[in-house]
Amino acid sequence: LLYERHGEPAAVVQLKDVEVPKLGDCDVHVKMLAAPINPADINMIQGTYPLLSPLPAVGGNEGVGEVLEVGRRVMALKPGDWVIPADAGLGTWRTRGVFPEEMLLKVPSDIPVLCAATLSVNPCTAFRVLADFESLAPGDSVIQNAANSSVGQAVIQIARASGIKTINVVRDRPDLPKLVERLIALGADHVVTEEMLRKPEMKDVFKSIPRPRLALNCVGGKSTTEMLRHLQPKGTMVTYGGMAKQPVVVPVSAFIFHDVRLRGFWMTQWRKDHAQDQESVAGMMDALCQLIRRGQLTAPACTEVPLQDYRAALEASMKPFVSSKQILLL
């Protein structure tokens, strides 16, 4: 799926037949199996993301493929192995590709294909924001908005596996009870709407669990200000997205009297910073694959779409309140 200019995805993305390049000594020929449509993919096509691929570009930053053939200098991979992108910008929305070996990470092929296809962005983000900013112990709690997003679903499950409680904020919607039920089934301790954050009943939540030391924000605007109210003094709020396209507003009192810390996180930057630190990357991937094997981490709610129906998938991925990730089957 190629785009030659930036713009609205359904208008600029086209399905094209192209030749597969010749296999170099350090290259890997990959048959792509499945690739999701993420918000960052959409922003890259629109031209609004901080990281843009040179045009013409193939869409997609995430996905899983099977190795068909390797160049004679490739040591770590062999035909039949499953691989995912080592970094953003690979262009995963294609049936086949030839990539340099260092652009790929091997993943176990005994995990479900949808888990592997959605492994390199959202579960990694969830893993890092839970691990890198506050040292949380079993019994501690975390509050997050957009809890039904793919990162939110992964946070719920990873926290649950570590004995950490989650307070999950979602927007009010017509099918709210169904969404609450789904998040509770994933392991959410509390699910509240943005409106409820302002109500005195929030005190009831903290009768059974401590106030959170960590808040995870991917919305911005009013949602953030309300979450900060419930953070413990000296707690940290990590912003990893801005779906409301509004600034993060912090009351002065939160800074002066509660000494809260505001931090930011971008998975692409973390990968750049740890490019030479393969142990950190392997440790994270191992931990996530173990959780998947034990059934403690599942793929987000997905809708599988054949490649030729890509336009419908692109449009569906941009609709509000859709709690299902569009996955292109390649």
Side-chain angles (χ1 to χ4, degrees), residues 120-159:
S120 65
V121 178
N122 298 311
C124 291
T125 298
F127 186 91
R128 297 261 58 102
V129 294
L130 284 170
D132 294 354
F133 296 93
E134 286 282 348
S135 44
L136 299 169
D140 284 344
S141 78
V142 172
I143 189 167
Q144 64 165 346
N145 55 22
N148 56 312
S149 68
S150 300
V151 173
Q153 292 175 54
V155 163
I156 289 169
Q157 295 173 84
I158 296 167

Side-chain angles (χ1 to χ4, degrees), residues 277-292:
D277 176 11
Q278 282 315 302
E279 271 176 41
S280 287
V281 178
M284 169 173 70
M285 287 315 203
D286 260 7
L288 291 170
C289 289
Q290 293 285 10
L291 289 172
I292 291 167

